[in-house]
Amino acid sequence: MTSAAPVAQPLSAAIDEYLEWATVHAFKPGSGTPRTYRIKLNMYAKRFGHQTPVREITGQDWYKTCGHYWAQSAAETYNSGRRAAISFLKFCRDCEPPLTTAEPPRLWTPRPVPTDRSRALPQSTVATFFNPDRYPLRERTLWSVLYDSSERLSATLKLNVPDLERGQCFAPLRVKGGDTRYIVWTPPTDELLWEYIGNRTCGPVWLGEVQPWNWRERPEEDKGPDNLYRLTAHRARIVYKELTGIARPHRIRHSRLTHVGGRDGTSSAMLRAISGHLTDKMVSRYSQPGPEEVAAFMVQVGSLMSR
């Protein structure tokens, strides 16, 4: 704890100063953290008063307000509000002169986030996504790339036709956090891709039939032939739910990682390479057998009722 007396900085001004600093020095380029933290911190400011000096707000005040807003929310939502407050308080204490001496209470610990393996769809369900009699070519192509690569929808939709080379089965892609990595797919998916792309040589891989609301501000690379534009993630989610009845296409990513991770001999390094996760902890949830593998194993083990 610093010995200097904190100055009387209004909370809203301190939040702006913190976010400006964190965007350059703390947040990864292209991440959604700045927006999330701004929303959370502005909710704190609404509770405390935007013009209230930061030095007048105690660590206990921050803790109680986090509980007021998010105690009944999902664990990760609560933890996000906690992280935003703790990061902001540390910034304020480290300022010269400091803006506060408040410390977060020692009991303000993150809530455990339960692992939900039910997000992974059975392989038999995913296999139906590629039935040409049930689903359009565009959707089958997109879902196949999502499944093979285990990449996020928003990142995958950034692929452009010049990024691809027939038969290569991989392409560089700017992903969450602003990093660039290679995503990889299988030869059958590559054939499907080029069937969908046809003779196009430029523009987005996936084209949307609905004009985006901000089409006038869209960059030139988002435009395709015949006044079509890059398929948006919002539209892709709507179509996915309408066609499959399943809420989120992100479950395709979880499904592939679970299916691959449940196989004998699949290393955590391979799972990280497929998913883009940085640590073993982040991919450990996928290294468990899925329900189909467990069911097959139970058949092999047998039942006492059959003896």
Side-chain angles (χ1 to χ4, degrees):
M1 181 180 296
T2 180
S3 58
V7 298
Q9 172 81 298
L11 179 57
S12 59
I15 290 173
D16 290 340
E17 188 176 332
Y18 160 73
L19 291 171
E20 182 178 352
W21 169 85
T23 299
V24 176
H25 300 286
F27 302 144
K28 293 188 68 174
S31 76
T33 306
R35 179 177 180 274
T36 300
Y37 276 27
R38 180 175 290 279
I39 292 172
K40 294 291 194 297
L41 291 173
N42 281 338
M43 291 179 71
Y44 283 110
K46 181 179 179 181
R47 182 77 171 175
F48 297 137
H50 291 275
Q51 297 306 312
T52 300
V54 182
R55 68 183 184 184
E56 295 181 7
I57 308 169
T58 68
Q60 191 72 13
D61 291 334
W62 289 91
Y63 164 67
K64 289 181 177 179
T65 300
C66 184
H68 169 78
Y69 281 127
W70 302 295
Q72 303 303 317
S73 302
E76 186 50 49
T77 302
Y78 177 89
N79 293 344
S80 176
R82 172 185 174 273
R83 287 193 299 269
I86 290 177
S87 179
F88 172 71
L89 284 175
K90 184 179 186 305
F91 168 83
C92 291
R93 292 194 305 273
D94 290 344
C95 284
E96 296 182 3
L99 307 182
T100 185
T101 58
E103 296 272 0
R106 296 180 64 181
L107 293 178
W108 194 8
T109 56
R111 289 170 53 186
V113 179
T115 299
D116 181 10
R117 295 191 179 92
S118 66
R119 287 183 293 182
L121 300 167
Q123 294 185 51
S124 56
T125 299
V126 178
T128 65
F129 292 172
F130 314 123
N131 185 339
D133 295 327
R134 294 184 61 179
Y135 300 114
L137 177 60
R138 184 189 69 182
E139 274 60 48
R140 287 187 286 119
T141 303
L142 175 60
W143 300 344
S144 188
V145 173
L146 289 175
Y147 182 74
D148 281 358
S149 67
S150 300
E151 187 49 72
R152 295 173 177 84
L153 173 65
S154 56
T156 302
L157 289 174
K158 295 177 183 177
L159 276 176
N160 296 314
V161 175
D163 298 331
L164 312 182
E165 183 177 331
R166 187 186 294 268
Q168 187 169 259
C169 295
F170 62 85
L173 188 64
R174 192 176 182 88
V175 297
K176 183 179 179 181
D179 295 335
T180 299
R181 78 179 190 93
Y182 281 93
I183 64 168
V184 183
W185 51 87
T186 60
T189 296
D190 194 63
E191 293 180 11
L192 201 62
L193 259 174
W194 287 102
E195 179 184 350
Y196 171 66
I197 292 171
N199 296 323
R200 287 189 284 133
T201 58
C202 61
V205 171
W206 288 281
L207 299 172
E209 73 285 359
V210 177
Q211 191 176 67
W213 66 271
N214 60 344
W215 64 272
R216 294 182 185 276
E217 289 77 38
R218 290 265 173 167
E220 190 66 29
E221 67 173 15
D222 277 4
K223 298 178 181 179
D226 302 323
N227 292 321
L228 296 175
Y229 288 80
R230 186 184 307 277
L231 178 66
T232 65
H234 176 70
R235 181 60 186 168
R237 293 187 186 101
I238 291 176
V239 173
Y240 174 79
K241 184 174 183 179
E242 289 178 347
L243 293 177
T244 68
I246 300 172
R248 300 178 62 209
H250 194 69
R251 293 181 67 182
I252 297 177
R253 169 177 166 84
H254 285 274
S255 301
R256 177 60 160 179
L257 292 173
T258 300
H259 299 163
V260 173
R263 295 179 179 178
D264 291 337
T266 303
S267 66
S268 59
M270 180 59 72
L271 279 179
R272 291 200 310 273
I274 294 172
S275 69
H277 288 126
L278 301 179
T279 65
D280 288 346
K281 181 180 179 180
M282 297 176 74
V283 300
S284 61
R285 71 184 67 178
Y286 306 111
S287 60
Q288 307 295 326
E292 291 172 316
E293 290 78 12
V294 173
F297 175 78
M298 296 301 288
V299 170
Q300 295 177 3
V301 172
S303 171
L304 289 176
M305 296 178 63
S306 62
R307 296 178 184 175

